[in-house]
C-alpha cells in the first residue's frame, strides 16, 4: 500500500501530488483536476476551490478513489449538481468526487420501475417517466439536482419527497463494497438520510404506476407554474432553512419583513423568503452572514430556532 506520507514530507507538496498518485490507480477516462473552483459547480455560484476534483469513469474507479482517501486519511465529499450546497470561500481541503460521467447517469425503464444512476438529473428522470406514461416522480421535475443528491437529503417539492417513490438504493461503503438497501434500512427522515452519511448512493429504483401521458403532463405543468410563480430565477441554493413545525420558513421570513435583506451580494429573495440569491457579486461569507441575521431575528422576535437545510462545507479564507 502506498501512502502519501511515504512519498513526500511537506504537506503542500503532498497535496500537489495527490492527483498523480490517484491517476495511477484509476482508468484514463477518470477526470482529475487540481484546485478546481467549486463556485462553477454549485447553483449558488459561490465558494473556493477543491484541492482535488475527481469525476470517476465507473464504479471501480470510484471505489479506488474512496479507498485511497481512506488509506491516506484524506477528506472527501460527494458532489451532485451543487444545489442545496454552500461552499465556504476558502474551498475544500481534500478530494471532491462528482458522479457526472455517463456510467452514473443512466435511466432505464423496467416495467413500472425507473432504474436511475446517482448522477442522473432529476428533470431527466421525470421527463423519461412521462415519456413512458409512468407517474409518481412528477415532483422531481423542478428540483435542480441529481438522484444521488436527492437521496442524500430526501429532497422534496410540491408535497412529495424522494423516498416516497424509492423502492431500493444501490450504495457503496467507504471501503468500496457495494450493496442494495431498502428505504427502511436507511433511517430516512425529513430532509435527511442517515445511511448516506457513511455510504455513497450509486443509484435507485423508483416505483411508478402507469397513467395517461396527458394526466402526467398536466400535473407537471401545474407544478412548474406554481414553482416559477413563487421561486426566484436568480442563482440560489434552493431553500436555505428547514421548515419549523409551526410555520413554513419562507412565510416566517416574509412576516418579519426580511425579504430584500442584504449582505454584500447576498439577498433574501423578493419572490420567496426561504431563498437567498446571488446578485452576481456574492461571496460565501456574505451568504453565511445573512443566514446568521435571519436566524437571530426569528429567534429574537418569534422564539423560533431555524436550522439550515443547505449543506455547508469547506474552510474560511
Amino acid at each position: 500500500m502506498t501512502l502519501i506520507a511515504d512519498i513526500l514530507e511537506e504537506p503542500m507538496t503532498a497535496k500537489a501530488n495527490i492527483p498523480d498518485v490517484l491517476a495511477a490507480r484509476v482508468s484514463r477516462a477518470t477526470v482529475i483536476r487540481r484546485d478546481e473552483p467549486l463556485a462553477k459547480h454549485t447553483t449558488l455560484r459561490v465558494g473556493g476551490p477543491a484541492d482535488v476534483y475527481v469525476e470517476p469513469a465507473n464504479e471501480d474507479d470510484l471505489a479506488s478513489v474512496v479507498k485511497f482517501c481512506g488509506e491516506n486519511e484524506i477528506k472527501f465529499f460527494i458532489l451532485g449538481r451543487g444545489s442545496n450546497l454552500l461552499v465556504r470561500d476558502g474551498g475544500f481541503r481534500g478530494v471532491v468526487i462528482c458522479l457526472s460521467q455517463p456510467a452514473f447517469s443512466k435511466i432505464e425503464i423496467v416495467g413500472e420501475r425507473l432504474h436511475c444512476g446517482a448522477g442522473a438529473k432529476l428533470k431527466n428522470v421525470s421527463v423519461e417517466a412521462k415519456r413512458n406514461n409512468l407517474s409518481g416522480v412528477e415532483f422531481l421535475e423542478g428540483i435542480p439536482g441529481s438522484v444521488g443528491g436527492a437521496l442524500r437529503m430526501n429532497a422534496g417539492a410540491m408535497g412529495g419527497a424522494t423516498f416516497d417513490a424509492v423502492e431500493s438504493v444501490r450504495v457503496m461503503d467507504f471501503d468500496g463494497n457495494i450493496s442494495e438497501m431498502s428505504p427502511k434500512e436507511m433511517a430516512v427522515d425529513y430532509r435527511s438520510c442517515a445511511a448516506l452519511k457513511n455510504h455513497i448512493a450509486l443509484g435507485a429504483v423508483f416505483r411508478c404506476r402507469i397513467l395517461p401521458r396527458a394526466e402526467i403532463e398536466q400535473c407537471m405543468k401545474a407544478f412548474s407554474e406554481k414553482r416559477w410563480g413563487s421561486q426566484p430565477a436568480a442563482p440560489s441554493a434552493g431553500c436555505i432553512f428547514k421548515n419549523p413545525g409551526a410555520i413554513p420558513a419562507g412565510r416566517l421570513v416574509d412576516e418579519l419583513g426580511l425579504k430584500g435583506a442584504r449582505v454584500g451580494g447576498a439577498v433574501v429573495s423578493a419572490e420567496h423568503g426561504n431563498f437567498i440569491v446571488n446578485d452576481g457579486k456574492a461571496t460565501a461569507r456574505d451568504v453565511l452572514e445573512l443566514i446568521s441575521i435571519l436566524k437571530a431575528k426569528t429567534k429574537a422576535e418569534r422564539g423560533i430556532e431555524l436550522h439550515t437545510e443547505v449543506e455547508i462545507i469547506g474552510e474560511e479564507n
Side-chain angles (χ1 to χ4, degrees):
M1 179 174 69
T2 303
L3 298 178
I4 291 294
D6 294 335
I7 304 171
L8 302 157
E9 295 181 358
E10 294 296 326
M12 288 304 292
T13 308
K15 167 192 159 182
N17 278 269
I18 289 173
D20 297 328
V21 180
L22 263 179
R25 298 181 60 155
V26 298
S27 70
R28 293 182 65 180
T30 284
V31 174
I32 302 175
R33 293 198 284 265
R34 294 177 169 87
D35 297 318
E36 177 74 0
L38 293 177
K40 70 179 187 180
H41 293 284
T42 66
T43 58
L44 189 54
R45 300 289 184 259
V46 300
D51 286 349
V52 182
Y53 172 85
V54 181
E55 294 177 4
N58 50 51
E59 290 181 356
D60 288 342
D61 283 0
L62 172 61
S64 294
V65 173
V66 170
K67 286 189 281 188
F68 169 83
C69 290
E71 291 164 3
N72 294 282
E73 299 183 350
I74 298 169
K75 289 193 301 182
F76 69 88
F77 178 78
I78 305 297
L79 175 69
R81 293 192 65 209
S83 59
N84 199 58
L85 179 66
L86 173 58
V87 182
R88 294 186 179 94
D89 296 315
F92 185 80
R93 303 286 73 76
V95 176
V96 170
I97 303 168
C98 185
L99 306 183
S100 58
Q101 293 230 40
F104 296 101
S105 301
K106 296 176 181 177
I107 302 173
E108 299 176 343
I109 308 296
V110 181
E112 296 184 8
R113 302 292 188 269
L114 285 167
H115 293 244
C116 305
K121 296 178 181 179
L122 297 176
K123 181 172 184 177
N124 292 350
V125 172
S126 62
V127 168
E128 191 64 20
K130 178 185 69 174
R131 188 177 293 131
N132 288 272
N133 302 327
L134 294 176
S135 174
V137 293
E138 291 91 337
F139 69 94
L140 295 176
E141 186 272 339
I143 302 176
S146 63
V147 168
L151 292 167
R152 180 167 175 165
M153 67 165 292
N154 192 22
M158 306 300 158
T162 301
F163 272 94
D164 293 343
V166 169
E167 186 169 89
S168 64
V169 181
R170 182 176 167 86
V171 300
M172 178 183 290
D173 67 22
F174 293 172
D175 293 319
N177 302 308
I178 295 173
S179 61
E180 297 273 343
M181 299 182 75
S182 70
K184 289 182 179 179
E185 298 174 286
M186 301 185 73
V188 177
D189 205 345
Y190 173 68
R191 298 297 179 263
S192 70
C193 175
L196 293 180
K197 296 183 186 300
N198 54 15
H199 290 79
I200 300 166
L202 301 175
V205 177
F206 292 91
R207 60 180 177 276
C208 299
R209 66 187 187 280
I210 295 175
L211 279 183
R213 186 178 302 185
E215 289 187 27
I216 298 171
E217 288 177 343
Q218 184 178 8
C219 179
M220 290 174 68
K221 181 181 179 182
F223 285 168
S224 181
E225 289 175 352
K226 182 177 180 181
R227 179 177 292 106
W228 293 116
S230 63
Q231 295 182 9
S236 77
C239 289
I240 289 291
F241 301 109
K242 296 178 180 179
N243 285 322
I247 183 174
R251 186 188 302 168
L252 175 61
V253 170
D254 190 10
E255 289 182 2
L256 292 175
L258 295 170
K259 281 184 175 180
R262 170 188 292 270
V263 173
V267 188
V268 178
S269 167
E271 290 85 3
H272 196 303
N274 202 13
F275 282 67
I276 291 176
V277 299
N278 180 353
D279 74 355
K281 302 183 290 292
T283 65
R285 182 180 292 276
D286 292 341
V287 178
L288 288 166
E289 288 186 14
L290 187 51
I291 288 172
S292 295
I293 289 169
L294 297 177
K295 291 176 73 172
K297 288 276 191 180
T298 55
K299 180 66 173 176
E301 298 190 26
R302 293 289 184 87
I304 296 175
E305 191 83 43
L306 286 178
H307 299 280
T308 51
E309 179 175 309
V310 66
E311 186 168 6
I312 302 168
I313 67 167
E315 309 294 327
E316 299 285 0
N317 265 339

